[in-house]
Amino acid sequence: MPQPLDHAALLRRAIAESAAARAAGVHPFAAILVGPAGEVLMVQHNAYMPDHDMTGHAERVLMTRASTTYPPELLKECTIYTSAEPCAMCAGAIYWTGLKRVVYGLSEKALKQITGNHPENPTLDLPCREVFAAGQRQVEVIGPMLEDEAAAPHEGVWG
């Protein structure tokens, strides 16, 4: 029987990746795809820079990579850990990729308070649970979790 996933440890890995993204000059968002046994399958930072792709969110890009790399049978047992709550676009990508679970740090509501109306991140205050609830298949959602830790990489970015 598989061991339960250590959500806090895996989410901290995603948060650390968001700090690494910031250090690399990218918006401080990151996501990791985790297999059913807790193995990290893929890591993705935001892909906004250098081409200013407004759809280059870490979660959306990760779902494109995952759905073109892994079979649906595996993806339906996978979890995405993301430093911030998936926006409506990213939640849609997660839904269509067929993942089992989302674990996130910073809520969209808290992110919106941090970013304000910054033109590079006009945050949608729409909980991912609402997006998933409109679907025909259940996606488990855990979060917000470790919000203070998840907010730290954003300090001084959006001011």
Side-chain angles (χ1 to χ4, degrees), residues 54-55 57 59-60 63 82 84-97 102 104 107-109 111 121-135 139:
M54 296 302 284
T55 69
H57 296 188
E59 302 91 340
R60 201 276 308 151
M63 292 301 91
T82 180
E85 181 174 5
C87 72
M89 173 184 67
C90 292
I94 292 164
Y95 177 83
W96 286 108
T97 300
V102 173
Y104 69 87
S107 70
E108 279 283 272
K109 184 174 283 310
L111 180 63
N121 196 30
T123 303
L124 291 168
D125 185 3
L126 177 64
C128 66
R129 284 176 174 87
E130 291 185 29
V131 176
F132 296 135
V139 177

Side-chain angles (χ1 to χ4, degrees), residues 35-108:
E39 68 280 22
V40 175
L41 301 174
M42 291 182 164
V43 175
Q44 181 67 52
H45 297 172
N46 255 30
Y48 169 75
M49 301 301 261
D51 300 323
H52 301 285
D53 178 0
M54 296 302 284
T55 69
H57 296 188
E59 302 91 340
R60 201 276 308 151
V61 175
L62 183 63
M63 292 301 91
T64 297
R65 291 177 55 215
S67 65
T68 58
T69 302
Y70 296 109
E73 297 76 27
L74 174 62
L75 291 170
K76 72 180 185 178
E77 299 302 323
C78 289
T79 301
I80 186 172
Y81 290 84
T82 180
S83 60
E85 181 174 5
C87 72
M89 173 184 67
C90 292
I94 292 164
Y95 177 83
W96 286 108
T97 300
L99 295 194
K100 175 181 184 173
R101 180 184 305 115
V102 173
V103 180
Y104 69 87
L106 193 61
S107 70
E108 279 283 272

